Amino acid sequence: MSDDTSLRAPQDASRIAMGEDYEVRYWTNKFGVSRERLQEAVDAAGNSAAAVEAYLRR
């Protein structure tokens, strides 16, 4: 089953899907970072939202 792109938040809020534009918009707004900074965090910490948040808070 594919994600419903009409939703504001991702269906699985524990993971960040960088391949989905609406999810990238959600996470960049939530964390207050650019797409590039979010990608850097995902590359460093993995796609777990909690791990990315912890990485960005450092």
Side-chain angles (χ1 to χ4, degrees), residues 1-12:
M1 180 161 96
S2 64
D3 288 341
D4 180 352
T5 58
S6 67
L7 299 176
R8 290 183 178 194
Q11 287 186 357
D12 181 0

Side-chain angles (χ1 to χ4, degrees), residues 1-49:
M1 180 161 96
S2 64
D3 288 341
D4 180 352
T5 58
S6 67
L7 299 176
R8 290 183 178 194
Q11 287 186 357
D12 181 0
S14 69
R15 302 277 175 223
I16 298 173
M18 291 300 294
E20 299 289 345
D21 287 338
Y22 74 98
E23 285 201 29
V24 171
R25 280 191 304 275
Y26 171 82
W27 292 112
T28 56
N29 287 332
K30 178 175 175 66
F31 295 138
V33 297
S34 68
R35 180 185 188 98
E36 293 76 19
R37 179 76 171 126
L38 181 64
Q39 183 67 63
E40 174 190 320
V42 169
D43 290 345
N47 70 343
S48 162

